[in-house]
Amino acid sequence: VVMREKANNEEGVPLETAASDAPEITIEGVDMSYGLGMMGSQSGYIDVLRLYCRDAGARLGDLQKYSSALKSGSLDSTDMKSLIIHVHAIKSGSANIGAAKLSKFAADMEAAGRRDDIAFVSENIDGFIDDLSAMTDRIKRALPDLRKSEKGSLDMDTMSRLMSALDAEDGDEADSILASLKDTPLDDETKEVLAKISELILMSEFFEGSCLILNLMMKE
């Protein structure tokens, strides 16, 4: 997992932080305020959650092989080194998304592997696999709703329709398009532009409103 490590304690567990734009959606076992604070934006955080699930999914297969090898007594030193690499990556990735408990579990597994504590690893690897699998399942279930709640800009089709209405000086159509966007999650800049356009429509200053939309389109 290639992610930034920041504000972690000595065990790789994230310290408490807060983000004012934390979504109302929650994921059990994840401090989403911390994750948002780490990534700086909801969009960036969602991308990291997706990458985390993809990476964890790839590692789960190997972890299950190591579990079988431990049960049969066939796990060699090379396998143990690989297992340590896997749990270290999961520790870091979990810390970055705000999954403190899972990160701590991974830290404990890594420490046990480094001191060659086969008993601890054997007793806990299946529980670790279950926890990691459950975490990725919860994140995957939450991702569609997180995408819906993400604040962003207008899509090009909506901007084109609004610009056409303003160019035609069709205030009713422009107002209708603006009204349809009332419950759409948008960034502050886009909200301010739409509010200004609404004011311009009231004053029949359609050209100025069209220019504002054009500026938004050029930023996309």
Side-chain angles (χ1 to χ4, degrees):
V1 181
V2 182
M3 300 177 189
R4 293 175 291 169
E5 288 194 66
K6 175 183 175 184
N8 293 343
N9 65 19
E10 293 179 355
E11 295 176 312
V13 181
L15 300 176
E16 291 299 320
T17 188
S20 60
D21 57 346
E24 294 182 0
I25 299 162
T26 60
I27 301 173
E28 182 185 346
V30 178
D31 180 352
M32 299 181 71
S33 293
Y34 175 87
L36 282 164
M38 284 287 288
M39 299 306 137
S41 70
Q42 186 168 334
S43 177
Y45 185 45
I46 290 171
D47 288 340
V48 168
L49 287 172
R50 290 177 59 249
L51 288 172
Y52 177 86
C53 288
R54 186 184 306 168
D55 182 82
R59 295 183 189 280
L60 277 168
D62 285 338
L63 290 173
Q64 288 164 347
K65 291 178 183 178
Y66 300 142
S67 175
S68 297
L70 282 164
K71 290 181 176 66
S72 64
S74 60
L75 188 82
D76 57 28
S77 60
T78 300
D79 290 335
M80 180 59 81
K81 289 179 181 177
S82 295
L83 192 157
I84 291 170
I85 291 171
H86 280 304
V87 294
H88 174 81
I90 294 165
K91 176 190 73 176
S92 300
S94 299
N96 279 309
I97 66 169
K101 185 176 180 180
L102 184 56
S103 180
K104 177 61 167 59
F105 197 171
D108 291 342
M109 291 287 288
E110 179 184 3
R114 292 190 185 283
R115 64 175 182 266
D116 204 27
D117 187 346
I118 300 296
F120 181 93
V121 176
S122 297
E123 290 171 7
N124 290 280
I125 190 168
D126 287 339
F128 181 72
I129 290 170
D130 289 345
D131 285 0
L132 179 60
S133 180
M135 176 63 72
T136 58
D137 286 345
R138 290 195 296 270
I139 293 172
K140 288 176 182 177
R141 288 197 298 270
L143 280 174
D145 289 332
L146 282 169
R147 283 292 184 195
K148 289 178 184 177
S149 70
E150 183 180 358
K151 295 180 180 180
S153 57
L154 292 177
D155 61 87
M156 292 299 291
D157 179 64
T158 300
M159 287 192 285
S160 294
R161 289 192 297 110
L162 183 54
M163 188 170 180
S164 295
L166 293 168
D167 287 343
E169 298 188 357
D170 188 342
D172 289 340
E173 176 63 14
D175 280 335
S176 176
I177 294 171
L178 290 173
S180 70
L181 298 171
K182 181 180 178 182
D183 296 323
T184 302
L186 299 168
D187 56 58
D188 291 339
E189 180 185 2
T190 303
K191 287 180 179 180
E192 290 176 7
V193 170
L194 295 183
K196 181 63 176 177
I197 290 173
S198 183
E199 294 175 2
L200 291 171
I201 292 171
L202 289 174
M203 296 182 288
S204 297
E205 295 179 358
F206 298 103
F207 176 74
E208 288 80 358
S210 183
C211 288
L212 289 178
I213 285 295
L214 181 59
N215 287 335
L216 277 182
M217 295 176 75
M218 290 176 67
K219 292 180 180 179
E220 291 297 308

